[in-house]
Amino acid sequence: MLDLNAQHIHMHQAAADKSAALALLGEVLVADGLVAPGYLDGLRAREAQGSTFLGQGIAIPHGTPETRDQVFTTGVRLLHFPSGVDWGNGQLVYLAIGIAARSDEHLRLLQLLTRALGEGDLSEGLQQAESPEAIIGLLQGAPQALALDGELVSLGVAADDFDELAWQGVKLLKRAQCVEPGFNASLPLGQSLPLGDGLWWLSSEQSVQRPGLAFVTPVSNLEHQGQPLNGLFVLASMGEAHQAMLERLCNLLIEGRGQELSQATSSRTVLEALGGDVPADWPSAQVPLANAHGLHARPAKVLTEIAQAFEGDIRVRLAGSESVGVSVKSLSKLLAMGAHRGQVLEFIAEPPIAGDALPALVRAVEEGLGEEVEPLPAPGEAEQAVIATQPPESAIEQAALRAGDQVNGIAASPGIAIGPVLVRKPQVIDYPKRGESPVIELQRLDAALNKVHAEIGTLIDESQAASIRDIFTTHQAMLRDPALREEVQVRLQSGLSAEAAWMEEIDTAAQQQEALHDQLLAERAADLRDVGRRVLACLTGVEAEQAPDEPYILVMDEVAPSDVATLNAQRVAGILTAGGGATSHSAIIARALGIPAIVGAGPGVLGLARNTLLLLDGERGELLVAPSGAQLERARSERATREERKRLADEHRMEPAVTRDGHPVEIAANIGAAGETPEAVAMGAEGIGLLRTELVFMNHSQAPDQATQEAEYRRVLEALEGRPLVVRTLDVGGDKPLPYWPMPAEENPFLGVRGIRLSLQRPDILETQLRALLASADGRPLRIMFPMVGNIDEWRTAKAMVERLRVELPVADLQVGIMIEIPSAALIAPVLAQEVDFFSIGTNDLTQYTLAIDRGHPTLSGQADGLHPAVLRLIGMTVEAAHAHGKWVGVCGELAADALAVPLLVGLGVDELSVSARSIALVKARVRELDFAACQRLAQQALMLPGAHEVRAFVGEHC
Ligand code: PEP
Ligand code: MG
């Protein structure tokens, strides 16, 4: 947690520049045991990606995702630089707040810190501060204003009595982060004040984070202490923040206008009467935030920069919130929102600028605010993936499987499993709705929470797999969550049993998370439900059903962490689930336990009769129901072969890949970031066959300068220790836009301005990248290639630039080539081959353009198979042309790692295969099994086949 402790502030430090300041900070963090020495690299890398200057003389240096494992304990250390340190662009820093955080705690830290910053400028005060206490005083800022906005007013809420109405008010204050757990318990319910006109007043100073006033009215008229109860104020009191509002309220009551509040039908009326924040009636636009770590410093900065270009007020709030929002121009306010992935942002802009500002902001958020973002799942997808509710019996019956059926699901954990079925369905647990008394029920609940906590502790101790221990640690934290317990306690007041109150609260909390349509949060909801069931079973004394002793295939809708205790890998041969995706708990658990698994196989698997024999292939995602003797025999021998092959492949991963008849094939790795290089080398890579440089560009809010890029490329070359590096110049545009590179929207981006076409429109950016590459080589083998070349002029223009630059920056071992990704390039390969040094075939794009199937098409992409003879012919033509001129050819698309494609690519004469690091050992082993002459014959025959399906069957039969 952000702990502004005087001992953590190092006063009167001096640093010549930012680099020295970071080194000093690194030393302090290491000395205090928060981080390992490697964290300093993270601090530097983070600054290289973009300055951490926050404003007001403050910077917030922190590490990168790659250096999170260097953090031992979350915490902050503050260095005071009275002479200032230039943090770039002349921005002077007087206080560096170094953050050590392992994950998204980082966001939370920023949120707390920025909330503490006042509106004014702290620079001068920080510079002149003489003591740690003075710094703390400044950071804690001016007295906070009373929060009173639409979020804190709720009219016509369901409540049966005063206590329930008070609870609704507390909930508003909690949601607005005005109060912490403990506030509710501190409210003196018995000392509520009647104000007249059916209005009541309650207040507490305990557990208040920031002052706020909630106002709630009941849906139907109530009574309290023999008087009408038509509206209730709940004040989270801090200092004098509420004085002005209180005076307005008193005047209003004296004027006899209390009914304006008790009978209000709109929150605006209440806010106007009390002087609260009334939302502006301006144009607005909404957009979901997809950034993995939410609106943290870097994306927030991009947003402020866009907003600052407009003259006028632009605000943002979470959609659905009634707040007035915060200024998009203020970095600290944006960070204080703590918006995370999946939440919808609503921008509101002054009418004169709204027409331009709103679309620009929405587009920037959609484009990831300078970060590469995974699209959010479509509404409903996330829930379907993780909610462990059993499909209806009718759906199960309709889809029920029969002997001989073959089903394809999602391959979740490799291996072949054979065994009888055990279908485990969720147990239905009955429990009484009403309890004895709130006190007794709370005692029962606490006892159950403690018991389950201890049981999970035992599971953590026994578990070998870190990923499973992590899940259980989260479950323990949920059991100890004071807010959850407090909410249940309130429900107990209405006479519910511990079971009913607990399950109601679990359901509400889980539904709230599911509603955000975020995969991660939806998985948290699944965790909540799992913890919920475990506590319910404990409260009711229901035991989990016993599994049979023989090795069986466990079939469930979803595997929950609480099932792990019964998943003895000796007895559970395989796991098959109806629901779930590749990242669901079922898949994670199966992989962690090393149990072969298929997930998402559909409801039919739940209708399988007990003891039906199943054959499950977790690598291919294939399931056979009641397989024949011959099928079983084949599967058993394949299992033995695969396991042995993997073991042997790993053993020989560092050796070259040479066919049985002595033909060598170079096996290299595809990587996206410098940090992946050492692992690729350790996994047997003979070089990097494709460095995708897009990430270097996407991790910045503007095109990275030469020094930044050079540092990245040097890291790769250094880790390669003399092995060759093939770098692809920036390949963005079309479907992969760069936020700071404005491009008109295109009807069909895959056929639009992308790859080299785009780079040639901004030669300055291409030139900087080429300079950085040439400067980083230092005599080491460097190969540069251009993406998406479609005609010879593009190649010649790009090549000419390299030729011009290499005079200035000579490189001893340089080759320049192109990617063959567009059929036109393959077709003119005989011409291109005279000029290039090499070709690298990008089969992912080459296949989509040859077959006219969008590689990401939801239904057709399965047919975009690079083994289509049309694609193979283009590869063959490319190799022939290159070899005729003594040039080499690589393949760096996914096809290069496909076991059925390797013999054909080798047979067509491809010299290098570049694959993901984890495929290297197996691809090398595959090459060693082959006979080059036989592969050549096989390839020629494959070219004569009509389609990809036939090619796969043909290779499968012959190799
Ligand atoms: C390809 O198209 O095969 C390729 C390697 O490039 P990318 O997948 O990055 O488009
Ligand atoms: Mg490509």
Side-chain angles (χ1 to χ4, degrees), residues 268-417:
R268 184 173 277 268
T269 317
V270 176
L271 295 173
E272 279 170 356
L274 296 175
D277 291 327
V278 185
D281 206 3
W282 290 343
S284 67
Q286 297 191 353
V287 58
L289 184 72
N291 297 58
H293 300 292
L295 199 55
H296 65 94
R298 241 171 330 133
K301 201 160 191 182
V302 174
L303 213 46
T304 54
E305 282 163 8
I306 297 170
Q308 276 157 7
F310 294 97
E311 271 187 28
D313 198 4
I314 313 174
R315 309 186 72 79
V316 62
R317 63 185 175 197
L318 295 179
S321 115
E322 296 279 315
S323 81
V324 284
V326 299
S327 168
V328 187
K329 296 181 182 179
S330 159
L331 181 60
S332 60
K333 296 275 183 263
L334 282 184
L335 294 174
M337 278 176 75
H340 51 72
R341 179 177 154 88
Q343 291 188 311
V344 177
L345 303 179
E346 181 172 24
F347 294 103
I348 314 153
E350 271 188 60
I353 54 167
D356 293 329
L358 294 178
L361 290 163
V362 166
R363 201 175 328 117
V365 174
E366 281 169 352
E367 290 170 355
L369 299 168
E371 294 189 318
E372 194 166 12
V373 292
E374 280 284 314
L376 292 163
E381 238 174 56
E383 290 90 330
Q384 200 195 356
V386 294
I387 300 171
T389 43
Q390 177 96 0
E393 284 300 325
S394 56
I396 296 173
E397 254 168 54
Q398 232 175 31
L401 299 170
R402 318 254 175 278
D405 281 354
Q406 179 171 336
V407 179
N408 288 316
I410 297 166
S413 175
I416 292 176

Side-chain angles (χ1 to χ4, degrees), residues 179-321:
V179 301
E180 303 178 310
F183 176 80
N184 188 49
S186 74
L187 274 180
L189 293 177
Q191 294 164 31
S192 48
L193 265 184
L195 303 176
D197 288 319
L199 295 170
W200 291 76
W201 179 268
L202 259 182
S203 139
S204 171
E205 301 188 323
Q206 286 180 38
S207 306
V208 173
Q209 284 171 293
R210 61 180 187 130
L213 179 74
F215 179 64
V216 280
T217 62
V219 66
S220 51
N221 290 344
L222 300 175
E223 286 213 342
H224 181 55
Q225 296 176 352
Q227 297 186 41
L229 168 59
N230 300 333
L232 171 65
F233 295 96
V234 184
L235 175 70
S237 172
M238 187 185 265
E240 307 290 301
H242 56 277
Q243 277 316 320
M245 180 280 308
L246 202 55
E247 275 169 31
R248 283 180 90 118
L249 177 60
C250 289
N251 287 339
L252 199 116
L253 294 170
I254 292 165
E255 288 165 16
R257 293 166 51 206
Q259 287 196 350
E260 282 179 27
L261 297 175
S262 59
Q263 288 172 13
T265 50
S266 94
S267 55
R268 184 173 277 268
T269 317
V270 176
L271 295 173
E272 279 170 356
L274 296 175
D277 291 327
V278 185
D281 206 3
W282 290 343
S284 67
Q286 297 191 353
V287 58
L289 184 72
N291 297 58
H293 300 292
L295 199 55
H296 65 94
R298 241 171 330 133
K301 201 160 191 182
V302 174
L303 213 46
T304 54
E305 282 163 8
I306 297 170
Q308 276 157 7
F310 294 97
E311 271 187 28
D313 198 4
I314 313 174
R315 309 186 72 79
V316 62
R317 63 185 175 197
L318 295 179
S321 115

Side-chain angles (χ1 to χ4, degrees), residues 728 731 788 821 845 855:
R728 171 174 81 188
D731 181 17
M788 305 295 299
E821 301 179 278
D845 277 315
R855 63 198 259 189

Side-chain angles (χ1 to χ4, degrees), residues 480-563:
R480 289 278 184 265
D481 180 351
L484 188 65
R485 182 179 175 280
E486 198 170 276
E487 306 261 354
V488 179
Q489 196 178 352
V490 174
R491 289 179 193 273
L492 290 176
Q493 300 305 318
S494 60
L496 289 181
S497 65
E499 291 89 337
W502 170 253
M503 288 312 282
E504 269 187 28
E505 185 48 40
I506 288 285
D507 206 41
T508 310
Q511 274 179 24
Q512 275 167 5
Q513 304 213 333
E514 284 152 7
L516 294 171
H517 300 304
D518 175 287
Q519 182 74 24
L520 261 176
L521 292 180
E523 278 174 13
R524 286 291 80 83
D527 282 317
L528 260 177
R529 292 190 189 280
D530 193 30
V531 168
R533 273 193 298 272
R534 200 184 261 275
V535 172
L536 179 65
C538 179
L539 278 166
T540 51
V542 170
E543 300 275 333
E545 78 183 89
Q546 283 300 308
D549 282 340
E550 66 202 301
Y552 57 94
I553 295 191
L554 178 65
V555 181
M556 300 183 72
D557 182 39
E558 265 267 44
V559 178
S562 58
D563 298 313

Side-chain angles (χ1 to χ4, degrees), residues 692 728 731 736 754 787-788 819 821 842-846 855:
R692 291 179 163 104
R728 171 174 81 188
D731 181 17
K736 275 197 248 159
R754 54 172 307 200
M788 305 295 299
M819 287 192 74
E821 301 179 278
T843 46
N844 306 337
D845 277 315
L846 185 62
R855 63 198 259 189

